[in-house]
Amino acid sequence: MVEWIEMNRMLGVSHFYMYNDSMSEELGCILSHYQQQGLITLLPWDIPISIGDRKVVRIRGQFLAFNDCIYRAMTRARWLMIIDTDELVIPRQERQLTTLLDSLVKNYSRADGNAGFIFKNFFFFLEWEDDPVSSVPLLTSRKTRRVIMGTPIPQRSKYIVRPLEIIEPGNHFVWKHVNDAYNSNVPEEHAIMHHYRINRIGKVPINETVVDRIAHRWTKNLWKRVKTKLQNIQCLQIKHLE
């Protein structure tokens, strides 16, 4: 979690909205530290759902959380990114998402109103071997093998949008925009979405994968930030001393 937060901060994210269905004491300690710094808005999300409601209210109200987030951020954020904590949107050329977005607006927007951008999903399965050139325990450094062919948009994709242009967000794409606003699919040479998770799609032949070390561009500074955070989060030190 510390790696995910610090990587996103290096990419230009200034604030996080997170929804807590359940979490461990150690994770609560980490998020409390970031809350005290004003970097996280952590919201309780304990929605009682009966078995009969599960077909209507999916994944413990996940879509409700997306909509809550859009409207909370609407007057505060120029851009809002919807991703999970096992995902990262990684620019292929720029160092930050902010400069990437500026470039995308310039090159891929039409005059009739671009509400945001959709990023293609690529799996980096956790079962695959660690990168032998990785010298640190960061997930983004160790897990560099990915599928060559990403999941077709809008399946598994995630997006960055202007919240004022959105009426109803979904999980992998926006369901309803304001007026005639639209989202553009981002070409893979500009950015992709890294998805670090266990393999649930079956065996993938080695010739259908590739080693992608683009995230290594941030490894040195990211490892410094993660180590510093782990040393400075007081409740973690107290727990380890006990």
Side-chain angles (χ1 to χ4, degrees):
M1 179 61 73
V2 173
E3 178 184 355
W4 182 81
I5 292 173
E6 292 301 324
M7 182 64 168
N8 274 300
R9 291 181 69 192
M10 291 178 68
L11 291 170
V13 175
S14 59
H15 194 80
F16 301 80
Y17 295 88
M18 305 187 77
Y19 294 80
N20 174 30
D21 176 67
S22 64
M23 62 181 175
S24 66
E25 180 183 349
E26 192 166 48
L27 180 56
C29 159
I30 291 169
L31 297 186
S32 177
H33 171 84
Y34 284 105
Q35 276 185 286
Q36 292 169 16
Q37 293 186 320
L39 292 170
I40 289 180
T41 297
L42 182 63
L43 300 157
W45 202 252
D46 184 15
I47 300 177
I49 300 175
S50 65
I51 293 176
D53 292 330
R54 288 179 183 172
K55 291 183 179 179
V56 178
V57 184
R58 294 184 64 243
I59 321 175
R60 302 196 63 81
Q62 186 180 52
F63 294 100
L64 299 175
F66 296 151
N67 281 270
D68 179 88
C69 186
I70 283 283
Y71 285 93
R72 283 181 186 274
M74 192 164 282
T75 60
R76 297 184 56 187
R78 181 185 173 209
W79 294 102
L80 186 71
M81 177 167 59
I82 302 291
I83 59 172
D84 296 335
T85 53
D86 62 353
E87 299 167 343
L88 289 166
V89 174
I90 301 294
R92 308 293 293 182
Q93 300 170 23
E94 294 83 0
R95 300 283 295 190
Q96 289 195 317
L97 292 171
T98 45
T99 50
L100 168 67
L101 290 167
D102 289 341
S103 174
L104 293 175
V105 167
K106 180 179 178 181
N107 294 297
Y108 292 96
S109 294
R110 300 198 309 260
D112 55 350
N114 191 320
F117 299 94
I118 304 178
F119 300 88
K120 195 172 187 179
N121 170 79
F122 286 80
F123 288 117
F124 290 68
F125 289 132
L126 301 182
E127 296 94 335
W128 288 342
E129 75 283 0
D130 285 357
D131 193 323
V133 308
S134 174
S135 59
V136 299
L138 296 174
L139 188 68
T140 51
S141 177
R142 294 187 296 110
K143 299 302 178 182
T144 54
R145 184 171 293 280
R146 65 166 172 85
V147 294
I148 294 175
M149 299 295 293
T151 313
I153 292 175
Q155 299 175 35
R156 295 285 180 184
S157 54
K158 290 297 171 67
Y159 54 89
I160 300 177
V161 292
R162 304 181 195 271
L164 281 171
E165 300 293 330
I166 307 304
I167 295 176
E168 189 174 2
N171 190 356
H172 304 297
F173 59 95
V174 175
W175 288 355
K176 189 174 182 180
H177 297 87
V178 172
N179 299 324
D180 296 324
Y182 65 94
N183 289 344
S184 297
N185 296 343
V186 176
E188 296 171 25
E189 63 265 26
H190 289 290
I192 65 173
M193 200 264 287
H194 291 208
H195 196 165
Y196 300 94
R197 56 168 286 176
I198 60 173
N199 182 1
R200 294 175 183 168
I201 66 172
K203 187 175 181 180
V204 180
I206 192 70
N207 64 346
E208 294 180 11
T209 70
V210 64
V211 173
D212 182 348
R213 295 191 174 104
I214 193 73
H216 282 192
R217 293 191 298 166
W218 292 271
T219 294
K220 184 177 179 180
N221 289 334
L222 179 59
W223 180 229
K224 288 180 181 178
R225 292 175 70 122
V226 169
K227 284 194 297 183
T228 299
K229 275 296 176 187
L230 293 177
Q231 292 166 359
N232 291 340
I233 298 177
Q234 187 175 4
C235 53
L236 281 182
Q237 309 311 315
I238 293 172
K239 187 175 186 299
H240 290 162
L241 287 172
E242 292 175 346

